[in-house]
Short mmCIF file of all heavy atoms in Angstrom, two decimals:
data_model
loop_
_atom_site.label_atom_id
_atom_site.label_comp_id
_atom_site.label_asym_id
_atom_site.label_seq_id
_atom_site.Cartn_x
_atom_site.Cartn_y
_atom_site.Cartn_z
N THR A 214 40.07 -14.35 -30.75
CA THR A 214 41.49 -14.40 -30.33
C THR A 214 41.80 -13.18 -29.48
O THR A 214 41.47 -12.08 -29.93
CB THR A 214 42.38 -14.43 -31.63
OG1 THR A 214 41.99 -15.48 -32.33
CG2 THR A 214 43.87 -14.50 -31.03
N PRO A 215 42.27 -13.37 -28.24
CA PRO A 215 42.61 -12.25 -27.44
C PRO A 215 43.50 -11.29 -28.03
O PRO A 215 44.52 -11.70 -28.64
CB PRO A 215 43.21 -12.92 -26.04
CG PRO A 215 42.92 -14.32 -26.20
CD PRO A 215 42.77 -14.65 -27.55
N ILE A 216 43.26 -9.98 -27.84
CA ILE A 216 44.18 -8.93 -28.36
C ILE A 216 45.02 -8.58 -27.24
O ILE A 216 44.52 -8.07 -26.25
CB ILE A 216 43.32 -7.72 -28.97
CG1 ILE A 216 42.39 -8.21 -30.11
CG2 ILE A 216 44.27 -6.58 -29.34
CD1 ILE A 216 41.46 -7.13 -30.58
N PRO A 217 46.30 -8.57 -27.47
CA PRO A 217 47.22 -8.17 -26.39
C PRO A 217 47.09 -6.78 -26.01
O PRO A 217 46.91 -5.82 -26.85
CB PRO A 217 48.58 -8.47 -26.87
CG PRO A 217 48.49 -8.46 -28.40
CD PRO A 217 47.10 -9.00 -28.57
N VAL A 218 46.91 -6.47 -24.72
CA VAL A 218 46.77 -5.07 -24.23
C VAL A 218 48.09 -4.57 -23.79
O VAL A 218 48.74 -5.14 -22.96
CB VAL A 218 45.83 -5.05 -23.01
CG1 VAL A 218 45.73 -3.60 -22.43
CG2 VAL A 218 44.43 -5.64 -23.30
N PRO A 219 48.49 -3.40 -24.32
CA PRO A 219 49.83 -2.90 -23.98
C PRO A 219 49.81 -2.57 -22.51
O PRO A 219 48.92 -2.06 -21.95
CB PRO A 219 49.89 -1.53 -24.85
CG PRO A 219 48.55 -1.19 -25.12
CD PRO A 219 47.76 -2.53 -25.24
N ALA A 220 51.04 -2.89 -21.89
CA ALA A 220 51.21 -2.54 -20.44
C ALA A 220 51.18 -1.17 -20.19
O ALA A 220 51.71 -0.27 -21.01
CB ALA A 220 52.54 -3.20 -20.05
N ALA A 221 50.55 -0.72 -19.13
CA ALA A 221 50.51 0.68 -18.72
C ALA A 221 51.40 0.94 -17.64
O ALA A 221 51.67 0.09 -16.66
CB ALA A 221 49.12 1.06 -18.24
N ARG A 222 52.21 2.05 -17.68
CA ARG A 222 53.10 2.47 -16.69
C ARG A 222 52.31 3.28 -15.52
O ARG A 222 51.55 4.17 -15.86
CB ARG A 222 54.31 3.34 -17.10
CG ARG A 222 55.16 2.59 -18.32
CD ARG A 222 56.29 3.40 -18.68
NE ARG A 222 57.14 3.84 -17.60
CZ ARG A 222 57.96 4.86 -17.59
NH1 ARG A 222 58.00 5.64 -18.59
NH2 ARG A 222 58.65 5.14 -16.55
N LEU A 223 52.70 3.01 -14.20
CA LEU A 223 52.05 3.66 -13.15
C LEU A 223 52.34 5.09 -13.24
O LEU A 223 51.36 5.94 -12.89
CB LEU A 223 52.52 3.05 -11.83
CG LEU A 223 51.99 1.66 -11.40
CD1 LEU A 223 52.58 1.34 -10.11
CD2 LEU A 223 50.46 1.70 -11.37
N THR A 224 53.49 5.58 -13.61
CA THR A 224 53.72 6.96 -13.65
C THR A 224 52.83 7.70 -14.66
O THR A 224 52.42 8.84 -14.46
CB THR A 224 55.20 7.19 -14.11
OG1 THR A 224 55.50 6.50 -15.30
CG2 THR A 224 56.18 6.81 -13.01
N GLU A 225 52.51 7.03 -15.78
CA GLU A 225 51.69 7.55 -16.81
C GLU A 225 50.22 7.73 -16.28
O GLU A 225 49.55 8.58 -16.46
CB GLU A 225 51.73 6.89 -18.03
CG GLU A 225 53.13 6.93 -18.75
CD GLU A 225 53.20 5.95 -19.97
OE1 GLU A 225 52.18 5.18 -20.20
OE2 GLU A 225 54.12 5.97 -20.72
N LEU A 226 49.85 6.57 -15.58
CA LEU A 226 48.48 6.57 -15.13
C LEU A 226 48.26 7.56 -13.99
O LEU A 226 47.30 8.29 -13.97
CB LEU A 226 48.13 5.26 -14.58
CG LEU A 226 48.02 4.02 -15.57
CD1 LEU A 226 47.87 2.74 -14.98
CD2 LEU A 226 46.87 4.30 -16.60
N LEU A 227 49.13 7.63 -12.98
CA LEU A 227 48.96 8.58 -11.87
C LEU A 227 49.17 9.93 -12.25
O LEU A 227 48.68 10.87 -11.56
CB LEU A 227 49.97 8.13 -10.73
CG LEU A 227 49.73 6.79 -10.18
CD1 LEU A 227 50.65 6.43 -9.03
CD2 LEU A 227 48.29 6.68 -9.66
N SER A 228 49.84 10.30 -13.37
CA SER A 228 49.94 11.65 -13.74
C SER A 228 48.74 12.21 -14.30
O SER A 228 48.55 13.52 -14.24
CB SER A 228 51.02 11.80 -14.89
OG SER A 228 50.63 11.15 -16.00
N SER A 229 47.77 11.41 -14.63
CA SER A 229 46.43 11.82 -14.99
C SER A 229 45.32 11.56 -13.94
O SER A 229 44.21 11.64 -14.13
CB SER A 229 46.07 11.13 -16.26
OG SER A 229 45.92 9.74 -15.98
N TYR A 230 45.81 11.27 -12.69
CA TYR A 230 44.97 11.13 -11.55
C TYR A 230 44.04 12.37 -11.32
O TYR A 230 44.53 13.48 -11.17
CB TYR A 230 45.65 10.73 -10.29
CG TYR A 230 44.78 10.54 -9.01
CD1 TYR A 230 43.95 9.50 -8.91
CD2 TYR A 230 44.75 11.54 -8.09
CE1 TYR A 230 43.15 9.31 -7.81
CE2 TYR A 230 44.00 11.36 -6.94
CZ TYR A 230 43.14 10.30 -6.81
OH TYR A 230 42.37 10.17 -5.75
N GLN A 231 42.69 12.07 -11.20
CA GLN A 231 41.74 13.25 -10.90
C GLN A 231 40.75 13.02 -9.81
O GLN A 231 39.71 13.57 -9.67
CB GLN A 231 40.94 13.63 -12.23
CG GLN A 231 41.89 14.16 -13.38
CD GLN A 231 41.08 14.51 -14.59
OE1 GLN A 231 39.89 14.11 -14.77
NE2 GLN A 231 41.73 15.23 -15.46
N ALA A 232 41.05 11.93 -9.01
CA ALA A 232 40.25 11.57 -7.94
C ALA A 232 38.88 11.09 -8.25
O ALA A 232 37.91 11.20 -7.57
CB ALA A 232 40.21 12.62 -6.89
N SER A 233 38.79 10.56 -9.52
CA SER A 233 37.38 10.03 -9.92
C SER A 233 37.10 8.65 -9.14
O SER A 233 38.03 8.05 -8.71
CB SER A 233 37.37 9.71 -11.43
OG SER A 233 38.29 8.66 -11.76
N ALA A 234 35.86 8.33 -9.03
CA ALA A 234 35.40 7.17 -8.37
C ALA A 234 36.09 5.94 -9.04
O ALA A 234 36.52 5.02 -8.32
CB ALA A 234 33.95 7.06 -8.31
N ALA A 235 36.15 5.87 -10.26
CA ALA A 235 36.70 4.72 -11.01
C ALA A 235 38.25 4.62 -10.78
O ALA A 235 38.71 3.47 -10.61
CB ALA A 235 36.45 4.82 -12.54
N GLN A 236 38.90 5.82 -10.74
CA GLN A 236 40.37 5.75 -10.44
C GLN A 236 40.56 5.25 -9.00
O GLN A 236 41.45 4.44 -8.81
CB GLN A 236 40.94 7.13 -10.65
CG GLN A 236 41.01 7.49 -12.15
CD GLN A 236 41.48 8.95 -12.31
OE1 GLN A 236 41.37 9.84 -11.42
NE2 GLN A 236 42.17 9.23 -13.43
N ASP A 237 39.82 5.76 -8.03
CA ASP A 237 40.04 5.36 -6.59
C ASP A 237 39.81 3.95 -6.56
O ASP A 237 40.47 3.15 -5.75
CB ASP A 237 39.16 6.23 -5.79
CG ASP A 237 39.57 7.64 -5.58
OD1 ASP A 237 40.84 7.80 -5.88
OD2 ASP A 237 38.87 8.52 -5.07
N THR A 238 38.71 3.40 -7.18
CA THR A 238 38.27 1.98 -7.06
C THR A 238 39.50 1.09 -7.64
O THR A 238 39.89 0.10 -7.06
CB THR A 238 36.99 1.76 -7.92
OG1 THR A 238 35.91 2.37 -7.19
CG2 THR A 238 36.64 0.24 -7.77
N ALA A 239 40.01 1.63 -8.73
CA ALA A 239 41.12 0.85 -9.35
C ALA A 239 42.34 0.78 -8.42
O ALA A 239 43.08 -0.20 -8.33
CB ALA A 239 41.46 1.48 -10.74
N LEU A 240 42.71 1.91 -7.83
CA LEU A 240 43.89 2.02 -6.89
C LEU A 240 43.68 1.09 -5.76
O LEU A 240 44.58 0.44 -5.24
CB LEU A 240 44.13 3.48 -6.51
CG LEU A 240 44.70 4.38 -7.52
CD1 LEU A 240 44.61 5.90 -7.14
CD2 LEU A 240 46.09 4.07 -7.82
#
Side-chain angles (χ1 to χ4, degrees):
T214 303
I216 300 175
V218 179
R222 296 184 62 198
L223 284 178
T224 52
E225 295 173 354
L226 292 174
L227 295 182
S228 65
S229 61
Y230 176 73
Q231 296 180 347
S233 69
Q236 289 175 333
D237 286 343
T238 300
L240 286 169

